[in-house]
Amino acid sequence: MPVPPFLADLRSHVGTQLLWLSGVSAVVVDDDERILLVRRADNGLWAIVGGVLEPGEQPAPAIVREVHEETGVHVVPERICTVYTEPPMTYPNGDRAQYLDIAFRCRPVGGRARVNDDESLEVAWFPADALPAMEEKNLLKITRALKGGAESWFVEPS
């Protein structure tokens, strides 16, 4: 995964220390209730699209950018489906991070689903009742996006 320049600069000062970062993710749902997923290049797992906000970037435009960069699909964010603090994680290079993730339910409005950068190995649409294996946090976001309602926004720690 390419490291954004602002993050590489920050890492040059703080090394691998734990960084608190803002992230966004997208549950893209088409008219047939299919979910757009990417098979990640870093771990080979299927996932919803996500990424880090650039300094000064607003969350909704950030997820529009991320989905297009990774999949070639143009989307419109419809609503927030979860706000979730992920557990701290360590990347293979030793960098540590913890993300506050805002997940959006998005509607595709153009483009064609394809691998559009080096972050993904595959891009595909899946029926909601036939999703491939993926991390539980992605399944939770998908479930909340399909469920709807403001009560689904906030995730209680387990």
Side-chain angles (χ1 to χ4, degrees):
M1 301 276 170
V3 176
F6 85 91
L7 194 49
D9 182 56
L10 185 57
R11 284 284 179 204
S12 74
H13 297 286
V14 300
T16 61
Q17 289 182 50
L18 181 68
L19 291 180
W20 175 252
L21 298 170
S22 300
V24 288
S25 54
V27 179
V28 181
V29 183
D30 73 4
D31 291 339
D32 295 323
E33 291 278 314
R34 295 179 308 163
I35 312 297
L36 181 65
L37 299 176
V38 297
R39 192 161 67 86
R40 297 173 52 107
D42 61 349
N43 63 16
L45 297 175
W46 286 97
I48 60 176
V49 175
V52 177
L53 272 75
E54 300 282 339
E57 189 175 31
Q58 295 296 322
I63 199 55
V64 170
R65 174 184 54 77
E66 286 287 346
V67 172
H68 185 259
E69 283 177 0
E70 293 185 29
T71 70
V73 174
H74 298 283
V75 298
V76 172
E78 295 181 313
R79 64 179 169 79
I80 293 171
C81 54
T82 64
V83 176
Y84 176 66
T85 300
E86 296 188 4
M89 61 181 298
T90 302
Y91 288 96
N93 68 355
D95 288 350
R96 296 181 315 134
Q98 186 169 16
Y99 293 90
L100 172 66
D101 182 77
I102 302 168
F104 291 87
R105 178 182 168 132
C106 297
R107 175 174 41 89
V109 294
R112 182 179 56 83
R114 65 184 183 277
V115 174
N116 206 38
D117 65 12
D118 60 355
E119 294 185 38
S120 303
L121 301 173
E122 294 179 74
V123 173
W125 293 96
F126 290 89
D129 62 353
L131 298 172
M134 66 181 76
E135 291 179 310
E136 188 63 35
K137 68 182 180 181
N138 288 291
L139 292 172
L140 172 69
K141 293 171 190 178
I142 292 168
T143 299
R144 298 287 175 98
L146 296 175
K147 178 182 174 188
E151 73 280 357
S152 68
W153 285 19
F154 304 102
V155 178
E156 294 296 322
S158 34

